Amino acid sequence: MFDQSVQFLTEAESAEVDKALLSSPEKFLARLTISTAKLLQVIAQDLDTPVEALTPQQIIQWFEQDAKLKREQGVNAAVLKWQSEDLRG
């Protein structure tokens, strides 16, 4: 199951996107962009680096470290709480 301690898109933000005059693909992209902006802030804080200074390599390494924490210490030790079986429906 998902741990909801860290939310990258709140219900209120999702509702705002729903109200926007956008197509379904545009709404999906808006939600993804809002979530990504928040995740980049978390990554930047973890790395003590401004968001605008993050490199693709730093982002990849952060994801690798978060996945390693999940594997070694369990899903609740990681920032990203999903597990591959959660994504299969």
Side-chain angles (χ1 to χ4, degrees):
M1 297 303 291
F2 290 109
D3 175 343
Q4 296 300 318
S5 60
V6 177
Q7 283 191 336
F8 295 106
L9 184 71
T10 67
E11 288 183 37
E13 291 163 336
S14 185
E16 287 296 314
V17 172
D18 280 339
K19 291 189 294 188
L21 300 175
L22 300 170
S23 67
S24 291
E26 292 165 336
K27 287 179 181 183
F28 170 78
L29 187 54
R31 286 185 180 92
L32 181 63
T33 302
I34 293 165
S35 299
T36 300
K38 290 181 179 184
L39 179 55
L40 285 172
Q41 291 173 351
V42 170
I43 293 170
Q45 184 177 10
D46 283 353
L47 299 178
D48 195 28
T49 302
V51 170
E52 58 275 4
L54 288 172
T55 66
Q57 188 60 36
Q58 287 174 305
I59 294 168
I60 292 165
Q61 288 173 343
W62 184 91
F63 271 90
E64 289 172 336
Q65 181 61 34
D66 197 60
K68 182 179 177 185
L69 280 173
K70 192 180 311 174
R71 283 191 309 275
E72 293 177 354
Q73 299 177 27
V75 70
N76 288 324
V79 172
L80 301 174
K81 305 299 183 189
W82 68 64
Q83 298 184 60
S84 59
E85 50 275 5
D86 292 334
L87 300 176
R88 285 185 230 149

